[in-house]
Amino acid sequence: MPETKTQRSAAARKGAATRKAHELEREQEQHDLRRKEQVSEVVDRTSELSDDMLKSLESGSRAAIEAVRKFVDVVDEALPALPHGERPSRRREIVDAAMDMADRLVKTQYEFLRSVVHSAGTTLNREEDEK
């Protein structure tokens, strides 16, 4: 019985392979473009997050300074300063303690925000390496 299947010519097979290669190349280019867009979005979000965190740190620092300023004003009214030359007054001890507390609060806030930014950077780098 004669063979009924038609065989493709070598040129036809080569043309089909070339078309498939071009399709795969286009798909890879589209994938690469989508990937670049995703990375760009992540970078933009990270920049916004960093800006927001810095603004938050600045706002917290200003609030701490203002709170200490108000506290010192109240202490000044309640406990007048002693004449110069006497030992440090109770007023001075209270004001110094308030300044130390405000300083520790600002440092703690700064360290917290720094650790959050570091963790976010580590996470983003890990995600980038996994992809």
Side-chain angles (χ1 to χ4, degrees):
M1 183 178 217
E3 195 171 317
T4 58
K5 290 185 180 179
T6 56
Q7 301 231 349
R8 294 176 124 185
S9 68
R13 285 192 304 269
K14 185 176 180 182
T18 302
R19 281 191 301 277
K20 189 167 189 166
H22 286 304
E23 288 174 10
L24 289 174
E25 191 175 301
R26 269 188 256 125
E27 287 176 9
Q28 184 63 41
E29 288 172 356
Q30 289 174 348
H31 173 72
D32 292 346
L33 182 60
R34 283 192 303 272
R35 180 82 175 118
K36 286 178 184 176
E37 289 172 351
Q38 289 172 342
V39 168
S40 178
E41 289 175 15
V42 168
V43 168
D44 290 345
R45 284 189 305 226
T46 303
S47 294
E48 290 173 13
L49 176 63
S50 295
D51 289 344
D52 289 347
M53 294 182 105
L54 289 173
K55 288 176 185 174
S56 175
L57 178 62
E58 182 181 359
S59 174
S61 298
R62 289 182 189 278
I65 290 168
E66 185 59 30
V68 169
R69 185 176 293 130
K70 287 180 181 179
F71 180 79
V72 169
D73 289 345
V74 169
V75 169
D76 281 342
E77 288 177 24
L79 301 171
L82 294 175
H84 186 63
E86 293 188 24
R87 68 177 183 84
S89 67
R90 188 82 170 135
R91 176 187 162 280
R92 180 87 254 139
E93 291 173 10
I94 292 171
V95 169
D96 288 346
M99 293 297 287
D100 287 343
M101 179 189 66
D103 186 51
R104 280 185 260 141
L105 285 172
V106 170
K107 283 181 181 175
T108 301
Q109 183 184 28
Y110 174 77
E111 289 170 4
F112 170 74
L113 291 174
R114 196 173 99 188
S115 71
V116 169
V117 169
H118 176 73
S119 295
T122 301
T123 301
L124 290 173
N125 286 336
R126 186 175 35 218
E127 288 176 2
E128 185 68 27
D129 291 342
E130 290 174 0
K131 293 179 182 178

